[in-house]
Amino acid sequence: MMNPLSEGLCLADKSGLSAQTLLDVLDLGAIANPMFKLKGPAMLQGSYSPAFPLKHQQKDMRLALALGDENAVSMPVSAAANEAFKKARSLGLGDLDFSAVYEVVKDAGGSGQA
């Protein structure tokens, strides 16, 4: 969920839409959820106080992908998300909140190519 939110915030910024407006719209629809409401504004401020460290999120992603491999379940979306978390760790963001993956997405120009 964090990676698509990050991409959406980048898309809003690049297309001239206020990222806060995007968060407001998301909060009004079926996709509204506490994580977007809590993390979105902090992400826009570049505030990543760790509630759940990014390094632990990436570890959990790695374990989920390994389980998928063991059970012959293709998980291409999760694999792509994991690559962004791995890139964030390589940039020294591992001890920050997992929402710091937004920095990787922003640096990739919102393309999702970490």
Side-chain angles (χ1 to χ4, degrees), residues 6-71:
S6 296
E7 289 179 350
L9 292 173
C10 287
L11 178 60
D13 181 58
K14 296 284 185 183
S15 63
L17 176 67
S18 159
Q20 184 58 55
T21 298
L22 174 63
L23 291 173
D24 293 342
V25 169
L26 291 174
D27 196 41
L28 295 172
I31 197 170
N33 66 76
M35 187 179 75
F36 289 178
K37 190 172 188 109
L38 176 68
K39 300 292 184 186
M43 291 164 65
L44 296 180
Q45 295 175 351
S47 176
Y48 305 110
S49 296
F52 189 70
L54 187 143
K55 64 185 175 186
H56 297 315
Q57 177 66 42
Q58 194 274 315
K59 176 212 30 122
D60 290 350
M61 295 291 296
R62 179 177 48 78
L63 293 172
L65 290 167
L67 186 61
D69 285 345
E70 290 173 21
N71 291 282

Side-chain angles (χ1 to χ4, degrees), residues 6 9-10 43-44 48 98-107:
S6 296
L9 292 173
C10 287
M43 291 164 65
L44 296 180
Y48 305 110
F98 74 104
S99 58
V101 73
Y102 179 49
E103 296 299 320
V104 170
V105 175
K106 282 193 314 186
D107 287 347

